Amino acid sequence: MTTNEPLPDLKPVINAAGTMTALGAAAANREAIEAAAAILTRAVDMSELHGAASLAIAQATGAEAGCVTACAAAGISVAVAAAMTGDDLARIERLPDTGGLKNEVVLQKGHNCHFSGEIAQMVRLAGASVVEIGAVNRARGYQLEGALGERTAAALYVVSHQTSQAGMIGLEEFCAICQARGVPVLVDAAAEYDLQGFLARGADLAIYSAHKFLGGLTAGIIAGREDLVRACTLQECGIGRAMKVGKEGIASTIAVLRRWQALDKEALWRRETARAARAAGKLQDIAGLAVSLEADPTGNPVTRVRIEVDAAHTGIDAGALSLGLAAGNPAVHVRAHDSDPGSILLDPCNLSDADMDHVCRCIAESVAASRSGIAPAG
Ligand SMILES: *Cc1c(COP(=O)(O)O)cnc(C)c1O
């Protein structure tokens, strides 16, 4: 820790969990920080800055236009608002009162996940109501057809490891059904690396986080159809005002989109995969742990280390192991979504090789300590 550390009382944190809001999202990259620093002390014409952002988003995503919001969660609310109001300022100013407007947003039940906020609440925040279709593990096109009606403003499609991964309507079919009825499809792709595919496959708007894999400051990106993006931008005169993004968020988002396009992504992914493989190598001989490398469930180019913890051998279950690591100093956070059925994951994206080595050492020590507790040496 450096001497000019502004918050010396905060416990240091090593993030092996991935890009988590609760851990301050991703480590911002140099380009994001420099762009923010350069604009923070200057006056700027915000509409000109928004125009530059739209161009940068269009270039990176293949969309007609784009806008920057406070975050992806705000992007969902703003996109839903845009679908309800269009560019009608009277309607925009009336939200979240939706009297007289189409105000239903159709969502597959298996897509209504909790990303540390609930998808449906981000929809309701705009004044819309959610119409869920299907069951948690099964939805079909006829159910979508049946749900689209006079009051439908939009349909929302969520791409995330946190949704049901099987039994859902595929994006192309979803878009085709909605398009035939003139209903815009909004895709929440907050954590997805694919900046072009969802729009190319038929989405009207795609929503991303700038502070996840892109490594920007906290912000959200909406990309897509020009008329809808314009309606999104206009929400700053309405509910969007309460979730507005500052100049630093917009400037850094432009910078990270440019950086991402120029980046040698293959080299980055090779480094991250090597980091994961090295961690797996360090852990695989520990009795009671079954260690494997695992591809990302939604096809992002991330390879993680899965550690299945056999509590009968180690004396500690996956949940207790992850809590113990987080209680250390530095706090070590692992990816613990699956700790109930008994495993944890290590994500190689937001930490150095040395930090990953430290994580492995802490896991080995925790298991050794608990084993000596249940089966004393000798
Ligand atoms: C992270 C995430 C969000 C929220 O993104 P923020 O930019 O942090 O608001 C929304 N949806 C999904 C699927 C996410 O993974």
Side-chain angles (χ1 to χ4, degrees):
M1 212 175 270
T2 56
T3 48
N4 61 0
E5 169 63 61
L7 297 167
D9 297 333
L10 290 185
K11 187 159 87 167
V13 170
I14 295 177
N15 177 12
T19 303
M20 296 289 162
T21 304
L23 299 175
N29 54 52
R30 183 177 50 77
E31 288 85 342
I33 295 165
E34 286 178 0
I39 206 163
L40 270 168
T41 52
R42 284 175 44 190
V44 57
D45 180 333
M46 287 299 281
S47 64
E48 204 181 332
L49 183 60
H50 275 293
S54 180
L55 214 60
I57 293 168
Q59 273 164 7
T61 62
E64 292 172 5
C67 67
V68 184
T69 59
C71 60
I76 297 170
S77 304
V78 164
V80 165
M84 293 191 293
T85 64
D87 61 3
D88 182 329
L89 273 176
R91 292 176 167 186
I92 288 168
E93 290 178 2
R94 212 161 72 221
L95 291 186
D97 175 354
T98 63
L101 301 182
K102 296 180 178 186
N103 65 353
E104 291 179 358
V105 174
V106 178
L107 177 69
Q108 300 183 74
K109 189 188 270 292
H111 279 188
N112 188 15
C113 63
H114 200 278
F115 57 85
S116 84
E118 190 199 329
I119 295 286
Q121 188 178 24
M122 304 308 124
V123 174
R124 287 189 285 114
L125 191 52
S129 53
V130 172
V131 175
E132 277 192 356
I133 56 167
V136 85
N137 61 340
R138 186 185 195 276
R140 293 291 180 265
Y142 71 86
Q143 294 166 328
L144 176 57
E145 301 252 17
L148 300 179
E150 284 301 299
R151 306 212 54 77
T152 309
L156 178 60
Y157 194 97
V158 182
V159 184
S160 168
H161 67 96
Q162 316 200 69
T163 66
S164 298
Q165 295 298 306
M168 299 293 101
I169 304 169
L171 179 61
E172 284 89 349
E173 182 187 357
F174 194 91
C175 291
I177 291 169
C178 290
Q179 193 175 36
R181 304 285 285 271
V183 171
V185 174
L186 321 175
V187 173
D188 173 11
E192 303 307 297
Y193 285 56
D194 182 354
L195 290 175
Q196 302 190 339
F198 308 113
L199 293 169
R201 286 154 65 197
D204 294 281
L205 292 178
I207 300 161
Y208 298 92
S209 287
H211 49 272
K212 292 184 175 173
F213 66 95
L214 289 168
L217 267 60
T218 302
I221 296 166
I222 302 178
R225 247 171 60 191
E226 192 163 21
D227 61 322
L228 284 171
V229 168
R230 182 174 145 71
C232 288
T233 308
L234 285 171
Q235 302 302 320
E236 278 216 1
C237 311
I239 63 157
R241 181 62 191 230
M243 6 174 154
K244 85 190 284 280
V245 63
K247 59 188 174 183
E248 69 284 2
I250 302 176
S252 59
T253 298
I254 295 172
V256 296
L257 285 171
R258 290 199 182 126
R259 170 185 183 271
W260 188 250
Q261 285 172 278
L263 189 69
D264 183 349
K265 296 185 254 306
E266 295 294 331
L268 171 68
W269 299 333
R270 269 198 305 277
R271 277 199 304 280
E272 290 175 349
T273 304
R275 187 176 301 138
R278 184 180 145 98
K282 286 179 181 296
L283 296 168
Q284 68 189 0
D285 294 331
I286 299 174
L289 302 185
V291 179
S292 55
L293 291 176
E294 184 171 296
D296 179 81
T298 63
N300 288 320
V302 179
T303 300
R304 302 189 178 91
V305 185
R306 180 174 287 277
I307 306 166
E308 287 169 64
V309 183
D310 180 350
H313 264 81
T314 59
I316 188 168
D317 65 27
L321 176 60
S322 86
L323 288 176
L325 294 167
N329 191 356
V332 167
H333 288 273
V334 299
R335 202 170 172 87
H337 301 112
D338 296 344
S339 64
D340 271 355
S343 59
I344 57 174
L345 290 142
L346 304 181
D347 185 300
C349 294
N350 286 290
L351 72 183
S352 65
D353 287 340
D355 282 346
M356 187 63 112
D357 288 350
H358 180 82
V359 172
C360 293
R361 238 179 353 259
C362 289
I363 292 172
E365 286 169 10
S366 297
V367 170
S370 93
R371 205 195 312 279
S372 68
I374 54 163

